């Protein structure tokens, strides 16, 4: 497994209950600020194998971006059950629910 993929998996696993991160935020913390699409691929292909809390990853606007309605509903339900706040417009309240991990330079090596 390449180092970026490993870092992404570890970051996603570290998102606490009741918090969310965006794809781009995860990519940046993992050392590749332009790697949001790669985070999507990793999440899609490795969530089950690595038991990743996929539902805690949203887009930068606070939107759930699952294409099919059932999956989007499932993600919202899981987030609400963990205490994630949603605004009246359906977006995640990022002020309250965004996770900001503390990452040192050694973590990126």
């Amino acid at each position: 497994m390449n180092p970026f993929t490993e870092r992404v998996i570890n970051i996603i696993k570290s998102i606490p209950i009741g918090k969310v991160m965006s794809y781009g935020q995860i990519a940046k913390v993992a050392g590749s600020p332009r790697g949001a699409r790669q985070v999507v691929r990793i999440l899609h292909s490795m969530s089950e194998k690595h038991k990743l809390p996929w539902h805690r990853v949203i887009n930068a606007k606070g939107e759930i971006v699952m294409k099919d309605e059932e999956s989007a509903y499932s993600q919202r339900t899981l987030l609400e059950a963990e205490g994630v706040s949603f605004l009246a417009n359906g977006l995640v309240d990022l002020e309250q629910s965004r996770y900001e991990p503390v990452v040192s330079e050694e973590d990126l090596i």
Side-chain angles (χ1 to χ4, degrees):
M1 180 180 321
N2 77 45
F4 177 74
T5 300
E6 193 170 339
R7 287 191 298 268
V8 167
I9 288 169
N10 289 333
I11 291 164
I12 294 170
K13 283 183 174 182
S14 77
I15 303 171
I17 292 171
K19 296 293 182 181
V20 297
M21 289 182 76
S22 72
Y23 301 100
Q25 182 187 8
I26 292 167
K28 184 176 179 182
V29 172
S32 182
R34 300 176 66 109
R37 287 187 179 168
Q38 186 62 26
V39 172
V40 172
R41 285 196 264 321
I42 292 166
L43 196 59
H44 178 75
S45 65
M46 299 187 172
S47 283
E48 193 172 319
K49 179 181 178 182
H50 293 279
K51 296 179 176 38
L52 300 178
W54 60 271
H55 61 285
R56 296 183 189 143
V57 184
I58 58 172
N59 77 8
K61 296 176 189 173
E63 295 172 320
I64 291 174
V65 293
M66 303 296 280
K67 297 250 189 252
D68 80 272
E69 232 175 270
E70 190 175 324
S71 295
Y73 177 78
S74 177
Q75 185 174 9
R76 181 174 176 134
T77 301
L78 289 166
L79 290 173
E80 287 177 329
E82 292 184 353
V84 172
S85 299
F86 283 80
L87 302 170
N89 62 5
L91 300 178
V92 170
D93 183 350
L94 294 174
E95 289 278 321
Q96 189 172 29
S97 299
R98 183 192 312 261
Y99 177 55
E100 297 283 356
V102 177
V103 180
S104 67
E105 287 298 317
E106 296 87 47
D107 293 334
L108 298 177
I109 298 174

